[in-house]
Amino acid sequence: MSKKQISSALISVYDKTGLAPIIHELNNQGVTFYSTGGTDKFIRDLGYEVVAVEDITGYPSILGGRVKTLHPKVFGGILNRQEVVEDQKALAEFEIPQIDLVIVDLYPFEDTVAAGGSESEIVEKIDIGGIALIRAAAKNFADTFCVSDKTDYEDFLNIILANQGTTSLEERKKYAVKAFQTSSHYDTAIFNHFNTEEEVLKFSIKKEKKLRYGENPHQQGRFFGPLSELLEQVHGKEISYNNLLDIDAAVNLMLEFYDEGNSFAILKHNNACGFATRPSLKEAYLDALAGDPVSAFGGVLISNKTIDLKTADEINSLFCEVVIAPDYEETAMARLKEKKNRIILVQKNTPLPTNSYRTCLNGILVQDRDNKTDAVDDLDYVTEIKPSPQEVEDLIFASKISKHTKSNTIVLAKNGQLLASGTGQTSRVDALNQAIDKARHFKFDLQGAVMASDAFFPFPDCVEIAHKAGVTSILQPGGSIKDQLSIDYCNENNLSMVFTGTRHFKH
């Protein structure tokens, strides 16, 4: 039979939140309750009768609660096939009660890990009986209904209200899939916590966001992850696949300037087309926009400070897809909301994953995040002339932007402003020429500018080109067998150059 009436329920939950309405309705429908420990007490406190599991099994909860429900009289009631005569004879012979519904909320293993619990506390939050109950009920979805996630309580309550406690095979199978996902996710979290060998890669991300489409309209797209823990959308249209890629690039770039002065960045296709740090946020925005006012159209804007009304007034004259900031003045928010489709995000102080992943051929590439940020202490002054304090500041500024720009890249900067960058070029010379041409197109004076490169110069040609364009100081990781040629050119032409010792490729 596809339709099954719920006459009995085994309920064992860690968190009782939201459970009471279900208990009330099941009682109204004459359902017999079986339970253990705290859930038993919870149901009794609501005024309803409960059959304790130990009264069925003849064994009390033992080993400090580690063993409560692991018994044939419990699992026989869940796993029996109601259409199989031998199964029903076994239930009668061993006095095993039929169990039609299982509701379980597992011990909070992930929350205990996240809270910094000790190893013994974490181990004790590895649920054994609950997982077994979930798997058993899900396996027998032909006869048994399994609720394994408290986020499903409202939907389950609607099911039993609409059908007077009767469930369909389709509903039971749907919830069985959810139950197997619950158990799989739980086991993956446990494995990933204890695994130190890194021989197996396991993912389990519960939250899915369906996107309008993927990178292009003919591609489907989805995002998996708790996005709301990092970003709160307070206004605008639905975030797209491409928006998310640009937002990711913007957030990662601005993290480099988290503790810096008023900084503003404008990104397009994952690369910064404008960036500036200034005494006021309005000035930072205007100078970032000046870096490339053409590419800024339809871009993603991000600030490391609260956006005020003066800055919002300037932003409002630009068509942009997304604005991101840690906060907004009330009047600034009202101004930005005047464009109904503009996506406005509040960035929370939430750490990003420690690894990065991408599909490659028939597998997945995994690497540590590039958490190395070039700093003054990393600089190796390799030329006779040393950069001035302002040049050092600009070199570090340019290096941070270079780190988050597609390789091959060259970044030109001056006085805390991105003048131009060459992005994603097949040669470093092409990247430099692109940056120079772009800076000149937007009328920037390159005399006294600095240059940062994401990787070493295999030949001194880039140094020579940059010098002739007006660049006076250069930052690169070094490491080429011909580094000395670049150093010699700098010394012969009164340029300063520093090595960082760290390459920052981004492909």
Side-chain angles (χ1 to χ4, degrees), residues 99 111 160 178 238 241 247 323 325 389 402-403 413 475 479 498 505:
I99 297 175
D111 290 345
I160 60 175
K178 289 173 175 278
E238 183 181 352
Y241 183 99
I247 291 167
V323 181
S402 171
K403 172 183 169 182
L475 177 148
V498 297
F505 270 163

Side-chain angles (χ1 to χ4, degrees), residues 313-383:
D313 283 338
E314 296 294 341
I315 293 172
N316 213 37
S317 63
L318 173 73
F319 169 70
C320 59
E321 288 276 330
V322 183
V323 181
I324 311 165
D327 204 355
Y328 302 79
E329 289 183 357
E330 186 175 345
T331 52
M333 179 67 77
R335 177 73 75 247
L336 294 173
K337 283 184 175 180
E338 289 177 359
K339 304 294 175 67
K340 69 176 184 178
N341 288 329
R342 178 183 285 149
I343 297 167
I344 303 176
L345 301 174
V346 176
Q347 184 178 347
K348 304 174 186 179
N349 188 19
T350 302
L352 294 172
T354 56
N355 291 331
S356 66
Y357 307 87
R358 66 191 299 177
T359 57
C360 180
L361 301 174
N362 61 342
I364 297 174
L365 283 171
V366 183
Q367 67 171 349
D368 298 337
R369 284 174 54 83
D370 184 356
N371 290 320
K372 173 62 178 174
T373 298
D374 296 331
V376 174
D377 291 343
D378 298 317
L379 303 183
D380 181 11
Y381 300 88
V382 297
T383 53

Side-chain angles (χ1 to χ4, degrees), residues 147-176:
V147 181
S148 61
D149 192 325
K150 58 190 175 186
T151 62
D152 290 322
Y153 285 177
E154 184 177 353
D155 182 65
F156 173 68
L157 180 59
N158 290 333
I159 289 173
I160 60 175
L161 281 169
N163 302 293
Q164 296 299 306
T166 298
T167 65
S168 68
L169 179 61
E170 181 182 8
E171 290 165 339
R172 294 192 300 276
K173 190 171 184 178
K174 173 185 173 182
Y175 269 72

Side-chain angles (χ1 to χ4, degrees), residues 36-47:
T36 62
T39 310
D40 182 308
K41 183 179 183 301
F42 177 80
I43 298 172
R44 292 182 192 276
D45 288 347
L46 291 174

